[in-house]
DNA sequence: TATGAATGAGTGTTCATTCAT
DNA sequence: CATGAATGAACACTCATTCAT
């Protein structure tokens, strides 16, 4: 059986993803895990602490799979960037209800409310931006620094697409948007 | 007095914008308006109803200024699209803290939770998409229908930019992103 | 058009009958009458006052139709007592939902809560008891005073039957019970 | 502690008996028990749920003492029926204020409002009716089915007597009424 | 490690009543 | 006579957190 702490963390993550931070209660989490209430406060000092751990978990996943994985491969930068979109897309494609981006959701719900939440989220986007810019540099020959705005725009496009997915519940629109992004990657590469 | 209802609505709008729907309590609103608790329920049947009125208000503002205003002008479509970005930008530029897009925020917090919230928000984005596509048609000569994906991408770019503004609190990045969008409008027009 | 005061009184009576005193709100009443809130407090000093007026109304109806009507007729006392049951029965027979006795309901909800409610209700039952005892005297030849316990039992039987009607929603049981009562009247007369 | 739940249930029962369901607030109950508000909702999902538990408690008491107790004894049916009245009488005799029948009160306040309340109350009266009819059968030789109307009348008499006790606050009248009932039992047995 | 009873401030909502017009 | 805006206490219910076992 999996670790109790991990079980709680997983349940917290899923519930926050679906119902938001404020919409998720400790009891919701414990109903999901089947553990007693004391266990939650034994492993996490508070709801906020557990939620920060959820964010930390997202950071680690993105770092492992995206920053240090896909975007650090020795493949062509074009392939990397496209693969990034495919990785994100496949994460949503299998779902019946589209809840948007787990990280983007937290940004909107929490970053204006509490600096402790905002900071790690900002750092994650900042790291991703730099990594994308690196790939763009390999593609364009420009300095990483000069590609930062373009990388920012790419992240914005991804986040905006997932936001629209959440409100339209239309997966095709997400695919079409990512296809446009891929085309734009190719154009950048051609120059 | 007609004024009280509007005062409540305004306070509700501002508080939801800053603290989110779930994060805003009726007492928060009443503290802001200085009215008794009964007044809230005299004018609105519930918190949800008042919040739907807030959404409705956003819809009307966008329709008046953006859909029927800026994007329906007899000016060149390129000017219209650029002006749209300027209008949005100016809305945020004056603030000290950047709370992102009031409509996008609601999408993320509420659209997976309650269909009654999701529907009007989806409709608003759908109307905007069509209007942007019309301007793109005037620019490209293509049918409106063929420009819908591009319009979708533009909205995604705007929403994503405002989401990143919320987490980075960096207005320059927003400006830079909107500049990139404007450049892309021009390129589309050139073809 | 009927008097506003009377309209309010009628609505109050019906709503209290169906939903009880505590279950009926001033707004419920005004929704029913279509009048403004000020009108209620113009005609009645409080909810309690209006409800006492409702009780008073019931008292007057019973006095007119039952005490000074049916039970004071020059007919045979047996016919009077039977007619009393028929009058009560016909009041319920036409309904789709059986709410029990409007007076008995108030007894149970209010008489332990407030002496101001209890007193007029007790008086009404006391007057009825005496009147029934008078009819029994004409039937048995005994003094009125000696028939008071029997009269009390008759009222208890009526009230208990209507209470059971409310919980069983079975009109036939009420009819059957009243038939048994009529038979007992006849037996008393035979002796 | 198991005790807390029972304390809350007891307080709920007593308060509803004295002040009615709608007249009893959760805070009333907690003031009585001295526990925090969360405890009420820890043990009961809602006020309604706690009240249904109160009803269930009454059902069990009647079943144990009356249906499976007094009315199921191997004594003579006459003795059983008389003992039933004595059992009910003794329940009220010791009180200073007479609040009527705890079950009958709930019938009148709640059975027209909510089916969930009405059903168990109806069932209880139905079970009692059958049990009384069984005793009457032993007394009269008639089939149980034929004695159901008479049993219904007996329950009506009891309930009506307790209703009148509530409004008159006259214990003697209750005793006198029950004496009349006992006499009628004897007459039935003689035939 | 683990349970779940206990707390109390807080949430959305209702309501009788008052009062300016 | 009549309207309906305004008040604030009370109501049922939720929740993050604590703590004894």
């Amino acid at each position: 059986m999996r670790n109790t702490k991990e079980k709680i963390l997983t349940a917290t993550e899923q519930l926050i993803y679906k119902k938001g931070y404020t919409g998720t209660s400790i009891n919701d989490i414990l109903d999901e895990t089947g553990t007693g209430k004391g266990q939650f406060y034994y492993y996490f000092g508070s709801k906020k602490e557990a939620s920060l751990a959820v964010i930390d978990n997202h950071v680690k996943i993105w770092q492992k799979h995206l920053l240090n994985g896909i975007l650090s491969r020795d493949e062509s930068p074009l392939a990397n960037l496209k693969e990034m979109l495919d990785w994100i897309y496949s994460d949503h494609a299998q779902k019946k209800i589209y809840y948007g981006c787990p990280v983007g959701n937290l940004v909107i719900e929490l970053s204006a409310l509490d600096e402790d939440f905002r900071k790690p989220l900002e750092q994650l986007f900042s790291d991703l931006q730099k990594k994308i810019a690196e790939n763009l540099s390999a593609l364009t020959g420009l300095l990483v620094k000069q590609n930062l705005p373009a990388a920012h725009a790419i992240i914005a496009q991804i986040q905006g697409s997932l936001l629209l997915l959440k409100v339209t519940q239309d997966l095709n629109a997400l695919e079409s948007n990512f296809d446009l992004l891929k085309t734009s990657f190719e154009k950048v590469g051609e120059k």
Side-chain angles (χ1 to χ4, degrees), chain A:
Chain A
M1 189 183 41
R2 245 164 58 263
N3 204 326
T4 298
K5 184 175 183 179
E6 217 164 304
K7 259 168 67 186
I8 293 174
L9 197 60
T10 303
T12 306
E13 184 178 318
Q14 285 175 344
L15 283 165
I16 286 183
Y17 181 42
K18 293 187 180 173
K19 304 170 62 175
Y21 172 80
T22 325
T24 298
S25 76
I26 309 290
N27 276 341
D28 284 345
I29 296 166
L30 298 172
D31 285 352
E32 195 77 10
T33 57
T35 55
K37 179 161 288 194
Q39 285 300 88
F40 184 91
Y41 286 94
Y42 178 77
Y43 289 111
F44 303 99
S46 65
K47 184 185 178 184
K48 179 178 170 179
E49 203 175 282
S51 304
L52 286 171
V54 165
I55 292 179
D56 198 50
N57 210 40
H58 282 303
V59 168
K60 279 181 180 132
I61 290 172
W62 282 30
Q63 273 173 345
K64 184 181 172 193
H65 287 100
L66 209 50
L67 305 184
N68 302 330
I70 294 168
L71 294 176
S72 294
R73 297 183 307 179
D74 280 337
E75 308 259 343
S76 79
L78 191 61
N80 289 352
L81 292 169
K82 284 182 178 179
E83 176 65 14
M84 169 180 72
L85 296 183
D86 288 339
W87 182 70
I88 294 170
Y89 179 81
S90 69
D91 198 41
H92 296 272
Q94 67 207 26
K95 285 168 185 153
K96 284 174 184 169
I97 300 175
Y98 308 113
Y99 292 102
C101 175
V103 177
N105 293 354
L106 290 171
V107 162
I108 286 199
E109 188 182 3
L110 299 174
S111 62
L113 234 62
D114 195 319
E115 274 291 287
D116 295 335
F117 285 118
R118 207 200 106 251
K119 277 180 188 166
L121 295 167
E122 183 185 20
Q123 186 62 49
L124 179 56
F125 279 116
S126 169
D127 291 345
L128 177 59
Q129 183 186 13
K130 205 175 291 175
K131 207 73 195 175
I132 291 175
E134 283 174 16
N135 276 272
L136 289 176
S137 288
L139 205 57
T140 59
L142 294 172
L143 294 176
V144 169
K145 207 176 173 183
Q146 292 171 309
N147 277 309
L148 284 176
H152 190 86
I154 289 168
I155 298 174
Q157 186 65 31
I158 294 168
Q159 286 298 319
S161 297
L162 292 171
L163 186 151
L164 291 179
L165 174 63
K166 191 165 190 176
V167 72
T168 61
Q169 293 291 309
D170 176 4
L171 189 65
N172 291 330
L174 179 71
E175 195 177 11
S176 140
N177 245 19
F178 278 12
D179 283 344
L180 285 175
L181 251 184
K182 287 180 190 173
T183 310
S184 78
F185 294 160
E186 284 163 6
K187 278 185 196 150
V188 168
E190 283 166 15
K191 286 178 204 168

